[in-house]
Amino acid sequence: MKIEKLDIVRFAPRGNDSFIEAVTTKVNKYFEDNKISPYANTGMWVKTAFMISLYIIPYLVMVTGLAAGNVWIYLGMWFLMGWGMVGIGTSVMHDANHGTYSASKKVNKFIGHILEVIGGFTATWKIQHNVLHHTYTNIAGLDEDIESIFLLRLSPNQPVRWFHKYQYLYAWFFYMNMTIYWMTVKDYLAAIRYGKHDLLKKEKLTLRQAISRITIFKVIYYAYVMALPMFISGQPWYMILVGFCVMHFTVGMVLSCVFQPAHVMEDSAYLAPVVSNGTKRMEDTWAIHELANTSNFAPNNHLLSWFIGGLNFQIEHHLFSDVCHVHFKKLAPIVKSVALEYGIPYNSQPSFFGALWLHFKMLKKLGEV
């Protein structure tokens, strides 16, 4: 994929009395009237401790050999670590790297680097997610969340090939392998790509620095997650490899099932920019574009929302990515009411599995030749 300068697409100016001004005013009033901070609350810190423990405790049980006598308990520890990784990714790392834990940048930066602990790299993640995905949601060629391998077609604005008609069946295999690919080559390829287009400058990195840091963090990650268990867990190397795959297959599938129904849906607009005076422009403002390409799901499923960091309230997250996810449920009725006042669709599916089914159908539709 070729990414050009970030100003390749311009959104329409919002004008006076715009939707985003109205909804921002009401959201700010909510925080002022209730005298609460838009940052993390006590519940968020408790959840953070829980998610980290869900990863660390099974790891300690596994690596120290306490589960060596029973293969199912042993693999179960890897499975639980997978869920811990999901919780850390959605409820801890994600908020921290959006700067929503605290008004202190140092606090957010410190917590955000937990991504390196679970095998990723913060700088490339911020560019892909915060800059490209949140700015150019569902715009082919800029939003890397839909720029997957050529075997998957996640936008009607991408080329269709004959084998895409089967993607609704095989896409789940690639979803399952998402984080294994991330832990091995994705960060390197992203750094090289971003280096070519000067995107690393935003993170104050040169390409050489990015590659060096990625390598150091990957070595540390594989040292503790695979090498150390080989020495002290009492399990043969192939069982550790199986456990590692169990963990990442779990993470990849769960994360994909959380993120894909938020954007790759039949009700997503997928509008392409038009060329005007030599510049590519969107007909809508950025905020309206976000609503047109984003969908909530399972708004009343409290346990799901708690565990996945409020990412089922994807509309609120995209409009107010500087607000901690613990506030999204309260903000959702505000955003919905203003959207309806302005005649803007507010896409929301009542259940998680219902949303997943619609994503399945969208994969089939996108595969039609």
Side-chain angles (χ1 to χ4, degrees), residues 36-53:
I36 56 178
S37 164
Y39 297 109
N41 56 19
T42 302
M44 180 64 176
W45 290 103
V46 171
K47 184 196 295 194
T48 299
F50 174 85
M51 296 303 182
I52 294 174
S53 298

Side-chain angles (χ1 to χ4, degrees), residues 53-346:
S53 298
L54 186 59
Y55 182 74
I56 291 179
I57 292 175
Y59 170 76
L60 292 176
V61 172
M62 177 274 296
V63 77
T64 55
L66 293 177
N70 188 306
V71 66
W72 296 111
I73 294 177
Y74 172 77
L75 292 178
M77 293 300 102
W78 284 99
F79 180 68
L80 285 177
M81 285 176 65
W83 283 99
M85 280 186 68
V86 171
I88 290 172
T90 58
S91 293
V92 182
M93 177 281 294
H94 186 261
D95 275 73
N97 283 316
H98 273 294
T100 68
Y101 261 84
S102 168
S104 169
K105 291 183 178 180
K106 291 182 179 180
V107 171
N108 292 313
K109 184 177 181 180
F110 176 77
I111 298 174
H113 280 299
I114 197 171
L115 178 56
E116 277 81 5
V117 177
I118 58 174
F121 185 56
T122 301
T124 51
W125 185 90
K126 283 184 174 181
I127 294 170
Q128 176 183 333
H129 185 78
N130 293 4
V131 178
L132 297 176
H133 173 64
H134 271 265
T135 305
Y136 305 108
T137 308
N138 276 0
I139 298 179
L142 283 172
D143 181 2
E144 292 197 351
D145 281 19
I146 60 170
E147 295 292 335
S148 185
I149 58 175
F150 74 98
L151 292 170
L152 296 177
R153 184 176 188 244
L154 302 178
S155 167
N157 299 316
Q158 295 169 335
V160 60
R161 298 178 174 89
W162 67 268
F163 46 78
H164 287 144
K165 64 183 178 181
Y166 303 112
Q167 70 171 1
Y168 70 100
L169 298 174
Y170 65 69
W172 312 93
F173 170 79
F174 292 105
Y175 287 173
M176 187 171 63
N177 282 277
M178 179 184 71
T179 57
I180 287 184
Y181 170 64
W182 186 1
M183 299 302 112
T184 51
V185 300
K186 179 183 175 182
D187 283 322
Y188 286 104
L189 296 177
I192 293 170
R193 188 165 62 248
Y194 299 155
K196 289 180 179 178
H197 300 287
D198 293 329
L199 295 171
L200 289 174
K201 289 182 178 179
K202 183 176 178 61
E203 296 301 317
K204 300 178 181 179
L205 287 174
T206 64
L207 178 57
R208 183 187 296 272
Q209 289 173 327
I211 295 297
S212 296
R213 294 182 188 184
I214 290 171
T215 301
I216 291 171
F217 288 126
K218 298 295 183 189
V219 168
I220 294 173
Y221 173 71
Y222 281 103
Y224 88 78
V225 85
M226 293 194 76
L228 188 60
M230 288 182 184
F231 285 108
I232 66 175
S233 71
Q235 292 287 348
W237 67 268
Y238 55 86
M239 284 303 301
I240 293 167
L241 182 59
V242 170
F244 179 82
C245 289
V246 166
M247 177 177 70
H248 277 286
F249 290 164
T250 301
V251 182
M253 184 61 77
V254 174
L255 289 182
S256 295
C257 289
V258 168
F259 284 105
Q260 296 298 65
H263 300 292
V264 185
M265 301 286 277
E266 288 183 312
D267 53 21
S268 293
Y270 286 108
L271 293 178
V274 296
V275 179
S276 176
N277 296 323
T279 302
K280 289 186 178 180
R281 301 181 183 275
M282 302 300 295
E283 295 182 356
D284 291 329
T285 64
W286 169 81
I288 293 177
H289 174 84
E290 291 304 308
L291 261 73
N293 288 280
T294 306
S295 181
N296 288 358
F297 56 85
N300 296 316
N301 191 326
H302 302 293
L303 178 60
L304 174 71
S305 184
W306 181 85
F307 195 86
I308 65 172
L311 291 176
N312 54 321
F313 292 100
Q314 195 74 193
I315 292 173
E316 287 65 37
H317 170 56
H318 271 250
L319 293 180
F320 299 99
S321 59
D322 56 346
V323 172
C324 185
H325 76 261
V326 294
H327 305 293
F328 289 164
K329 184 171 179 59
K330 295 289 187 181
L331 299 186
I334 299 173
V335 175
K336 183 177 181 179
S337 66
V338 178
L340 295 180
E341 286 176 15
Y342 278 76
I344 305 170
Y346 182 91

